[in-house]
Amino acid sequence: LNESFSSITSSSSGDPIGIVNHGTFIKNSDSSSRIQHMPFQNLGLIDVKLGKLEMNTSELSGTGSITVRTGASMGLQALSNSLAQTMTIEGHVTLEEGSLMSFEGGVIHVTSEAQISGEGDLSFLTAPFSSRPEVTIDADIDAGSISVSEQAKVSFNSSVNTSSIAIADVNSELKGNGSIEVTEDVDWTGGSILGEGFLSIQGSLAMNASNTITFGKNTLEVLGEAIGSGSTPLSVQWNVPIEILVRSGGTWRHQDSFKVTGFSPETQDWLFANEGSFITESLTDTEVSMDFVNTGSVELTAATLSIEKSFTQETGGSISMQIAGAPQSANSQSNIEATGDLQLAGALSIQLAEGFTPDLDSTYTILSGQSRTGEFDTTTGLAISEDRQFAVEYTATGVNLKIVAAP
């Protein structure tokens, strides 16, 4: 398809004429060209060298390969959401750096016999006048970046390795039972991440949505930095076993009024395990509706962290808490409130706000739960002034700091 050649179209929608490619089908012009309203069986090579090739067909099939060159793109639009009219890719797809393959509508299936590789990008979106794309990918993927938007639904059921993922729009879904490894960043501003398997992020995870974002995959592994900001929470999918793992060297930050919430957490198998750093950066109360196990560091502002299950700190873990005002006044202290049990070990560090001196005999409840077992192995920051200090008091359900006279 050279120069300004625009389209190959079948005028008979009921019994359309089709194309069978045994050789090389070349798109070689800067303009867009379209294969429209006709089946296309690829048994050779589709080579998109320039511009955009749009496959707007009722059926795509065949074990042939596809190559999209640097600067070129290929768009796939199945004409319906009927399983009887599915676009199927069974061969090897090569995406050169700077290329794009977009899945723009209808039912599309990339089989396990196929493979998608290269440094080009994948995009899943609903094109104008197209039905919502429902894409199932059973093939291994090694690609530059992946974006999911405009109500698209994509299932990854094998191994995915990509530099970045962007998920937008409240009705977009990235799901499936495969493993996804992201080497750089994930930008999550809407939609859902669902399914079995795991999502591992080596770089950054930005969660800042105007609409609900939902996590329902078995495991989210953070090796880099995760930042939750804004007022929209991360909602954990009900009735799915889920763990969020912040690995050693990784960081999880809560900014603004961001929370991790879920329905009826006391009945769910949900775990937040922090081996790295968990940091709150706002004076607004925040929440994690999961069992929380800390073997890394927890750094809290003068606000409440609600744990809607149990809180455990093991040996090697540490908590840094602030005292900034009189007891029960606004933003006077850090506080962990768990609806389940407290199990304590490791280190506790108290940070006293500059210029503030608490009154003698005043008491701050810094941890509370249904019950408490264990004590901190070490405590630092207990000295206040020459005449007073913090004393750690353990109760059946928590831990208090009482201001006592210095010896």
Side-chain angles (χ1 to χ4, degrees):
L1 307 181
N2 296 325
E3 300 174 352
S4 59
F5 190 94
S6 61
S7 65
I8 303 175
T9 303
S10 172
S11 60
S12 175
S13 59
D15 188 17
I17 297 170
I19 295 176
V20 180
N21 173 42
H22 291 276
T24 305
F25 191 95
I26 300 174
K27 168 70 173 68
N28 198 31
S29 63
D30 289 329
S31 60
S32 294
S33 299
R34 174 177 290 184
I35 310 300
Q36 183 167 295
H37 299 167
M38 59 196 312
F40 192 109
Q41 185 178 25
N42 180 35
L43 301 174
L45 168 65
I46 298 175
D47 191 353
V48 186
K49 293 184 175 183
L50 293 171
K52 181 177 182 180
L53 176 63
E54 298 180 26
M55 304 288 288
N56 188 345
T57 72
S58 58
E59 296 178 51
L60 172 66
S61 62
T63 57
S65 59
I66 299 171
T67 297
V68 185
R69 307 289 182 176
T70 298
S73 64
M74 183 173 183
L76 303 177
Q77 296 181 40
L79 292 184
S80 87
N81 278 340
S82 169
L83 292 176
Q85 294 183 320
T86 300
M87 300 183 77
T88 303
I89 296 175
E90 303 173 70
H92 194 147
V93 177
T94 301
L95 302 176
E96 293 186 352
E97 184 177 5
S99 67
L100 173 67
M101 175 172 277
S102 55
F103 298 78
E104 302 175 357
V107 177
I108 304 173
H109 183 205
V110 182
T111 69
S112 58
E113 292 78 17
Q115 184 179 12
I116 300 176
S117 63
E119 298 182 19
D121 303 326
L122 295 172
S123 177
F124 303 86
L125 72 159
T126 306
F129 310 109
S130 294
S131 58
R132 179 182 185 179
E134 298 184 16
V135 184
T136 301
I137 299 181
D138 296 326
D140 290 342
I141 296 176
D142 191 350
S145 69
I146 295 172
S147 66
V148 184
S149 62
E150 303 292 337
Q151 304 184 43
K153 296 172 65 176
V154 54
S155 295
F156 295 118
N157 294 320
S158 191
S159 173
V160 177
N161 188 289
T162 182
S163 62
S164 64
I165 293 178
I167 310 171
D169 186 85
V170 65
N171 292 316
S172 296
E173 294 182 8
L174 188 159
K175 55 184 182 178
N177 303 325
S179 60
I180 303 174
E181 296 190 25
V182 184
T183 58
E184 295 179 15
D185 55 86
V186 174
D187 186 18
W188 193 1
T189 59
S192 304
I193 300 176
L194 309 171
E196 297 179 2
F198 72 89
L199 170 62
S200 178
I201 303 170
Q202 298 179 25
S204 64
L205 166 61
M207 298 168 285
N208 186 349
S210 57
N211 295 297
T212 300
I213 55 177
T214 302
F215 185 77
K217 210 164 181 65
N218 287 156
T219 302
L220 170 60
E221 180 184 55
V222 177
L223 300 166
E225 182 175 57
I227 300 176
S229 58
S231 59
T232 301
L234 171 62
S235 178
V236 183
Q237 188 180 23
W238 183 74
N239 213 25
V240 175
I242 292 171
E243 56 183 6
I244 297 176
L245 308 177
V246 182
R247 296 299 192 188
S248 178
T251 303
W252 185 282
R253 298 180 185 272
H254 280 211
Q255 299 177 347
D256 305 320
S257 55
F258 180 81
K259 301 177 181 180
V260 180
T261 64
F263 175 72
S264 188
E266 67 278 1
T267 65
Q268 304 301 308
D269 184 13
W270 295 339
L271 171 66
F272 189 105
N274 176 49
E275 302 171 2
S277 299
F278 179 93
I279 302 171
T280 62
E281 298 183 344
S282 170
L283 293 177
T284 303
D285 294 344
T286 189
E287 177 181 328
V288 175
S289 295
M290 310 175 78
D291 285 315
F292 195 115
V293 177
N294 179 45
T295 56
S297 65
V298 173
E299 301 175 27
L300 304 179
T301 59
T304 297
L305 171 61
S306 296
I307 307 293
E308 298 299 314
K309 287 180 73 86
S310 66
F311 176 80
T312 300
Q313 177 163 287
E314 298 180 358
T315 301
S318 65
I319 306 175
S320 176
M321 310 186 86
Q322 296 184 18
I323 301 297
Q328 299 181 351
S329 62
N331 300 121
S332 62
Q333 65 172 96
S334 306
N335 181 29
I336 294 178
E337 295 180 352
T339 60
D341 299 327
L342 302 174
Q343 299 181 51
L344 304 179
L348 169 66
S349 174
I350 303 302
Q351 309 294 321
L352 184 64
E354 185 176 354
F356 173 69
T357 301
D359 294 335
L360 282 168
D361 296 325
S362 58
T363 299
Y364 298 85
T365 298
I366 57 173
L367 289 101
S368 60
Q370 288 283 354
S371 66
R372 177 203 57 83
T373 57
E375 298 181 358
F376 295 112
D377 300 321
T378 61
T379 54
T380 58
L382 298 182
I384 298 174
S385 62
E386 292 184 357
D387 67 337
R388 66 194 66 187
Q389 66 183 28
F390 292 108
V392 180
E393 295 183 341
Y394 294 96
T395 71
T397 59
V399 181
N400 298 331
L401 290 179
K402 186 172 183 180
I403 314 305
V404 299

